[in-house]
Structure formats: C-alpha cells, structure tokens
Amino acid sequence: RAATTAEQAGDQIPLQQRGALYYDLAYLHFVHGEHDQTDEWFARSVEVSEQAGNTAGAHISRLVWMRVRLLREAVTPQEYRAAHDAALAYFASDEASGPHVARWQMNVHAHLLDFALLTEDTELAQAKLELIEEDPWIREVGRTDLVAKYQARVATVTGDSARAVRLFAAYLSEHLTDPPSSLEELSRDLYYYGRALADSGDPDAARRMWGLGLRTPDNAANWPWKPRIRTALADLE
C-alpha cells in the first residue's frame, strides 16, 4: 500500500521527501527478503536524492543498499569497500552537514566491521571495533548496546569464545524467548552466539541458540542468517 501511494503521488512529493520515502520502502522489502523490490527502491532513492542535491541522503541509501547486497553476495568486496571509502571521506569533510553526519561516520565503520565479520578479516574487525568503542556519537546518545553487540561478534570471529558467550548472554538476555522476539536480525546474533558456544565446548547450547535462530520471524531481516545457521548445524553433526 505504501508503494502504491508513493507511485500515485509521484511528482507531488518533493524530491527530498521522495528520497527518504523510497529508502523506507526499500528497507521494508529488505526485512521481508524481497530482493528485486529492495533493489528497485534503493536505486530510486539514490537517484532522487542526487537530483535533489542531497549528497548525504544519496550516500546513506547507497550504503544500506550495498550492505543488503553484501548479505546476499550480490556485490563484490571491491565495490563495497569503494562505496564506503567514498562515503567516509564525504562525511568527514567540511561539505557534509545535517543531523545525520556524526551518526553516519559511525555507521560506515559499523558497515565495514560487518564486512570484516563476513569475510573473517580479524584485523579489520578489531580495528573497526576500536573505533566504534570510542565513537563520539555512540557516547553522546548512550548506545552502549551497539558496542556490546559488536564486541560479542568480534570476540566470536577472533576466537575469544568464552568472552563472546558472556557478552551475548548479557546482550541477548531479554530476547531469548520461545518463540523468539521480533528484534531485527536477531538470527544474526543467535548464529554468532551459537558459534561461540560450540567453540567453547557446549554443542547442546549451540543447537538451542541455532534452533531459536531458525524460528525467528521471517519479516524481521532474518533471511540472510538462517542458511548460515543450517550449515553450522550440519557441520556440528
């Protein structure tokens, strides 16, 4: 219904607002795993943001689109890094202005940390985690949950499984319900939590976490992680 309304309104909506609206529509399709529609709306968001002279908005839409495509292996590592390097240079420049600049400097580092985790690049993951731990925007708004989440994921990938288990147990405590909560991408952290448990010598607990991960809602961006969980479960047998 939102997409139909956007199409019908057409040119009546200012370009600046259309960029944000198309971003929201793209993101809705992303959480449901609808790839063609996700690509279509993100592409349109980038296009109208550029037409409106909203460079920050264009970068934001492009970066989130890149992250979504990375999760389904539809973008090369080189393309991903190039887009993020360009965005980081822009958000750190005098040209950048607006309420989202500080947040998106942090988000670029977080996206690159995501990239490092997916590619098992432990050196890059540790470097980006250190930047996030000291990030001024996170400190200003008190988003310590973001730091804890990334610390747990990095600990898993770098082999510090005991620390990862402790961090995940605290971070996910209120979401480990059955059925699982609707926290966006919960299956991602349940995948890493299960890995940490398996690596620390508790395969039964790993199976429980992965079982929860497979039962997370399909409309909450869990689709990239369920195949990884199934592979991990098969490898555990």
Side-chain angles (χ1 to χ4, degrees):
R1 289 196 300 270
T4 300
T5 300
E7 292 286 9
Q8 291 173 343
D11 294 339
Q12 299 175 38
I13 304 174
L15 284 174
Q16 188 91 350
Q17 294 179 23
R18 266 188 275 167
L21 173 62
Y22 295 167
Y23 173 98
D24 289 342
L25 290 170
Y27 207 89
L28 284 171
H29 287 296
F30 156 62
V31 298
H32 285 82
E34 297 163 349
H35 305 316
D36 290 344
Q37 298 94 324
T38 299
D39 286 343
E40 175 188 354
W41 288 107
F42 269 131
R44 293 174 70 172
S45 178
V46 171
E47 180 182 11
V48 298
S49 295
E50 290 177 339
Q51 290 173 359
N54 182 5
T55 305
H59 275 298
I60 290 169
S61 291
R62 187 179 295 108
L63 291 178
V64 179
W65 186 17
M66 281 280 180
R67 180 180 177 274
V68 173
R69 298 189 75 207
L70 180 72
L71 290 172
R72 67 177 203 265
E73 300 179 348
V75 64
T76 68
Q78 293 79 13
E79 290 171 325
Y80 189 86
R81 289 298 300 268
H84 284 74
D85 289 344
L88 190 58
Y90 169 77
F91 286 120
S93 72
D94 294 336
E95 180 187 352
S97 62
H100 303 301
V101 171
R103 176 180 178 179
W104 272 91
Q105 287 189 56
M106 181 279 295
N107 277 347
V108 174
H109 293 304
H111 280 206
L112 289 171
L113 200 160
D114 284 339
F115 172 79
L117 293 169
L118 284 169
T119 57
E120 304 278 330
D121 186 338
T122 57
E123 184 176 346
L124 178 61
Q126 192 61 55
K128 292 303 176 182
L129 176 61
E130 290 172 4
L131 289 173
I132 288 172
E133 288 173 332
E134 300 298 324
D135 184 79
W137 180 84
I138 288 178
R139 290 188 171 192
E140 179 182 350
V141 300
R143 289 298 306 272
T144 55
D145 59 308
L146 293 177
V147 177
K149 172 176 68 176
Y150 283 117
Q151 286 174 334
R153 292 175 185 173
V154 171
T156 301
V157 171
T158 57
D160 193 351
S161 55
R163 181 168 187 261
V165 167
R166 291 195 302 272
L167 289 167
F168 275 127
Y171 168 64
L172 294 176
S173 59
E174 65 184 271
H175 301 290
L176 300 182
T177 56
D178 197 353
S181 82
S182 57
L183 178 70
E184 187 176 314
E185 284 193 277
L186 175 59
S187 61
R188 175 179 190 143
D189 284 316
L190 291 172
Y191 164 69
Y192 284 114
Y193 192 6
R195 277 183 56 176
L197 287 163
D199 291 344
S200 64
D202 195 346
D204 291 337
R207 289 187 184 95
R208 287 196 299 273
M209 290 305 107
W210 287 333
L212 285 177
L214 292 177
R215 296 196 297 279
T216 52
D218 288 330
N219 61 352
N222 289 304
W223 57 264
W225 305 100
K226 293 186 179 184
R228 291 173 169 85
I229 289 174
R230 293 188 186 98
T231 298
L233 280 166
D235 290 343
L236 203 58
E237 300 301 328

